[in-house]
Amino acid sequence: ESVVVRLWQSAGQDIKRTEQGIIVLDELDKLASKRNKHGGKDIGGEGVQQSLLKIVEGTTVTVTDRAKNKTYQIDTRNILFLASGAFIGLDQIIKTENWIQVSWLRGTHVR
């Protein structure tokens, strides 16, 4: 939820601007590949992935304006989320899956 709060702050705490904003999730591949091998805290692991998935799919996030002592609801359905990263091994996954070529995408393959 902190990514939505940061977007809200960057949008001047304007709810409408926030709900039409863009959030870039850089190095998402590293988040997806982390494994907790020692039974410790799940920092950046599956719990974080589940929270992000909920926000990306569309939910309501509560943000607090401490100066005004007010809370606001932000609907994430129309926020554009961009995921970036190296995604090592993605090419192998694509090769093993049944992908079809879409001509209007000029060689890009989709499932």
Side-chain angles (χ1 to χ4, degrees), residues 1-10 23 25 48 51-52 55 61-63:
E1 293 182 358
S2 64
V3 293
V4 177
V5 172
R6 288 173 47 199
L7 177 62
W8 175 66
Q9 291 167 339
S10 296
I23 294 176
L25 303 169
V48 173
S51 294
L52 270 175
I55 292 168
V61 174
T62 302
V63 296

Side-chain angles (χ1 to χ4, degrees), residues 19-79:
E19 291 179 338
Q20 296 176 356
I22 300 170
I23 294 176
V24 178
L25 303 169
D26 192 16
E27 298 187 6
L28 193 64
D29 58 321
K30 291 179 183 174
L31 175 67
S33 67
K34 284 187 180 178
R35 298 285 183 256
N36 187 356
K37 297 177 184 175
H38 304 292
K41 289 186 179 180
D42 185 30
I43 300 172
E46 190 173 337
V48 173
Q49 292 175 32
Q50 292 299 321
S51 294
L52 270 175
L53 183 60
K54 182 178 166 185
I55 292 168
V56 170
E57 287 180 334
T59 190
T60 302
V61 174
T62 302
V63 296
T64 303
D65 183 343
R66 291 192 176 117
K68 296 179 181 176
N69 199 25
K70 287 181 128 182
T71 59
Y72 302 96
Q73 303 294 314
I74 297 175
D75 184 348
T76 66
R77 288 180 296 175
N78 292 315
I79 295 175

Side-chain angles (χ1 to χ4, degrees), residues 80-91:
L80 175 61
F81 290 88
L82 301 175
S84 66
F87 298 100
I88 305 297
L90 183 61
D91 58 330

